[in-house]
Amino acid sequence: MPGVRLLVGTRKGAFILTSDADRKKWDVCGPHFGGWEIFHMKGSPLNPDRLYASQSSGWFGQILQRSNDGGKTWEPVDNTFAYKGETATHQWYDGSQHPWDFKRVWHLEPSLTEPDTVYAGVEDAALFRSTDGGISWHELDGLRGHDTGPSWQPGAGGMCLHTILQDPTNPLRIFIAISAAGAFRTDDGGKTWKPINRGLRSEFMPNPTAEVGHCVHRIALHPSRPTTLFMQKHWDVMRSDDAGDTWHEVSGNLPTDFGFPIDVHAHEPETVYVVPIKSDSEHYPPDGKLRVYRSRTGGHEWEALTNGLPQSDCYVNVLRDAMAVDSLDSCGVYFGTTGGQVYGSADSGDNWMPIVRDLPAVLSVEVQTLQ
Amino acid sequence: MIRILLPYHLRNLAQVEDEITLKVEGIVTLNSIINSLVAEYPMLQGTILNHLNQKRRPLLRFFVCGEDITHDSMDTPLPDAVLNSTEPLIVVGAIAGG
């Protein structure tokens, strides 16, 4: 029977939420890895029982967990994220050069085509790949070795590679994004990379339209149209129709164009979701109202989705990896908050309900559509 | 045999409930104990010493016989009381954070 499984990473453990296709009643399983930060969990699109989890701690470092039974049991796999070659440097907050130093895995992205291949985006920013289900990791060092590498700098949350998007029509093409270096694309399976930031404008930079240095918060694409990308930048919601070669702003009538997550409807490539946040100094929704905004026109024109969401005294944030959509006939949309709520909509965002209200702060939400 | 007491989260990770008892070959030092520990419990790799640079995790400290030996050389031989199992090596996680 079809159903959905939500993989929720929080500040204090992992939770797995399951429901049938109605998405009205939910089972909550967890916490797994209680007390550890779970930055991200994701399942293989080729084998939904194969899950990966990034388990992290300020005391004990990085652990990588793998499940082969849909999250019932877990086993640690390799946690060696060793940068390839001589230690290089990047720009530090004060403008000096600083050695690359691995801190944690922000994002895990299982391959669309190879069942044992999985990508890991890490802080300090680099992309690693495992071709043996996480037993060993190897850096795709063409990215970090890009000519612009020494000028990359951390954002407030660290210099993290947080977004990995695979082109479902071309296994050699991958998009990634780094805070605060910007977006990059490879067309040769990760050997070489190209910054794709033309059209972005970031006023905090000495050169607001520089090739790199932009604080990209998240990128999304629809599998049927992989040359169209949507971006939530630090400020500005952006769109590209040429695989990132050029971007233009589509913030339109949003109450604020600051935010973190962005996602695309499972069946409508021009329907996009964002969660506007007041500002980079005040990481909560404007006016204390938690509103998802939906554009059915690929940007510019946005409508507030509020039914079932708190419309007063709400001061949570929604982090960049904490929104996902399922692919059931009536598209489900989900997001988690720093207040520990996970909200779901089974009708493309028209109506929302809290699935759970009192988890630890939510870092990431992914969804698996189970057949 | 060497007795080792780990912090709560590392005991969970290693799936042990109490002290670990371990045979350590050669001179018994912090280094040799941790190497033997990780060989026996590979899931602990990198959690006490960062395996990328061999540095101690900054929020962990080491105690034996009531003494803080965190800043001693990792290759200093440990006291007889540790060698003969009278006293454990205690790995302590800082009480910090939220």
Side-chain angles (χ1 to χ4, degrees):
Chain A
M1 183 179 176
V4 293
R5 181 159 60 205
L6 292 186
L7 308 174
V8 180
T10 80
R11 287 272 180 223
K12 297 294 180 187
F15 296 82
I16 298 178
L17 319 179
T18 52
S19 174
D20 60 21
D22 287 342
R23 293 159 287 180
K24 291 177 181 167
K25 293 182 180 176
W26 292 82
D27 291 325
V28 179
C29 180
H32 303 275
F33 324 117
W36 293 71
E37 290 185 324
I38 305 300
F39 260 66
H40 192 227
M41 288 194 290
K42 194 152 189 182
S44 166
L46 303 172
N47 172 11
D49 282 340
R50 166 65 65 85
L51 311 180
Y52 298 94
S54 170
Q55 176 184 358
S56 179
S57 156
W59 286 259
F60 310 114
Q62 177 71 50
I63 303 292
L64 225 300
Q65 297 275 359
R66 184 180 76 181
S67 174
N68 291 318
D69 56 11
K72 295 184 183 72
T73 62
W74 296 85
E75 57 179 334
V77 287
D78 189 32
N79 61 350
T80 307
F81 293 91
Y83 296 116
K84 195 184 283 185
E86 293 183 13
T87 304
T89 60
H90 62 81
Q91 193 175 169
W92 196 233
Y93 295 100
D94 62 2
S96 65
Q97 285 292 298
H98 191 81
W100 245 269
D101 180 27
F102 172 80
K103 296 180 179 66
R104 60 180 61 82
V105 173
W106 276 68
H107 187 94
L108 293 158
E109 193 66 37
S111 168
L112 298 177
T113 55
E114 303 290 335
D116 283 327
T117 293
V118 54
Y119 298 90
V122 312
E123 176 190 356
D124 288 339
L127 183 64
F128 285 78
R129 178 170 60 194
S130 171
T131 56
D132 52 14
I135 302 300
S136 61
W137 294 92
H138 307 280
E139 186 190 4
L140 297 174
D141 60 332
L143 172 62
R144 201 169 49 91
H146 190 269
D147 291 345
T148 60
S151 68
W152 301 358
Q153 56 190 321
M159 197 172 79
C160 52
L161 193 162
H162 50 70
T163 299
I164 304 168
L165 296 177
Q166 302 166 83
D167 183 337
T169 65
N170 177 3
L172 296 178
R173 172 171 280 186
I174 303 171
F175 307 93
I176 65 94
I178 296 169
S179 290
F184 294 79
R185 187 184 78 214
T186 179
D187 291 320
D188 57 14
K191 295 186 185 73
T192 61
W193 295 81
K194 169 187 177 184
I196 48 169
N197 301 302
R198 188 176 303 162
L200 306 187
R201 184 174 183 86
S202 300
E203 298 296 343
F204 62 84
M205 291 163 52
N207 174 4
T209 59
E211 183 181 32
V212 298
H214 302 274
C215 192
V216 176
H217 283 182
R218 186 75 177 150
I219 306 175
L221 62 75
H222 191 276
S224 72
R225 205 181 292 175
T227 56
T228 295
L229 302 175
F230 296 96
M231 173 191 293
Q232 173 68 68
K233 195 162 68 63
H234 191 88
W235 294 98
D236 304 333
V237 177
M238 308 294 292
R239 173 184 178 128
S240 170
D241 289 297
D242 51 15
D245 285 339
T246 59
W247 296 87
H248 60 275
E249 187 173 359
V250 292
S251 305
N253 61 335
L254 287 171
T256 157
D257 56 22
F258 184 87
F260 292 96
I262 189 165
D263 217 332
V264 184
H265 190 287
H267 312 302
E268 301 171 10
E270 293 292 316
T271 297
V272 187
Y273 300 90
V274 294
V275 183
I277 294 297
K278 185 175 178 186
S279 74
D280 52 2
S281 300
E282 298 160 292
H283 282 191
Y284 46 72
D287 305 320
K289 299 177 180 179
L290 182 55
R291 292 169 289 187
V292 175
Y293 275 72
R294 177 176 64 194
S295 172
R296 291 193 181 277
T297 55
H300 295 297
E301 298 163 18
W302 299 86
E303 57 178 325
L305 307 175
T306 61
N307 194 8
L309 298 176
Q311 295 306 295
S312 64
D313 305 323
C314 182
Y315 294 94
V316 298
N317 195 1
V318 180
L319 301 180
R320 71 188 82 221
D321 241 348
M323 177 180 262
V325 298
D326 72 32
S327 57
L328 292 173
D329 286 344
S330 175
C331 176
V333 187
Y334 309 90
F335 69 93
T337 77
T338 55
Q341 301 85 32
V342 177
Y343 292 98
S345 167
D347 54 10
S348 303
D350 290 337
N351 297 282
W352 298 86
M353 61 173 275
I355 298 171
V356 282
R357 289 182 182 276
D358 298 305
L359 298 185
V362 174
L363 302 176
S364 60
V365 173
E366 293 287 354
V367 59
Q368 294 180 284
T369 308
L370 305 174
Q371 300 304 324
Chain B
M1 301 296 278
I2 305 299
R3 296 164 52 203
I4 307 166
L5 184 56
L6 295 174
Y8 171 81
H9 285 304
L10 295 189
R11 294 202 302 275
N12 277 351
L13 187 61
Q15 298 183 330
V16 297
E17 292 186 354
D18 204 348
E19 284 185 0
I20 287 174
T21 304
L22 204 62
K23 187 175 182 182
V24 178
E25 301 288 351
I27 299 172
V28 176
T29 65
L30 278 174
N31 254 339
S32 65
I33 292 177
I34 293 170
N35 287 339
S36 300
L37 179 67
V38 171
E40 185 75 20
Y41 297 91
M43 69 286 280
L44 296 177
Q45 174 177 264
T47 57
I48 300 172
L49 302 183
N50 181 337
H51 60 305
L52 297 176
N53 59 22
Q54 299 308 310
K55 290 184 179 174
R56 173 180 55 87
R57 293 281 172 196
L59 295 180
L60 299 186
R61 297 182 86 95
F62 306 123
F63 287 81
V64 292
C65 306
E67 298 288 331
D68 182 353
I69 62 167
T70 305
H71 298 297
D72 293 0
S73 164
M74 294 288 291
D75 294 318
T76 300
L78 296 184
D80 288 346
V82 175
L83 275 58
N84 64 26
S85 305
T86 306
E87 291 283 342
L89 166 66
I90 305 176
V91 181
V92 177
I95 299 172

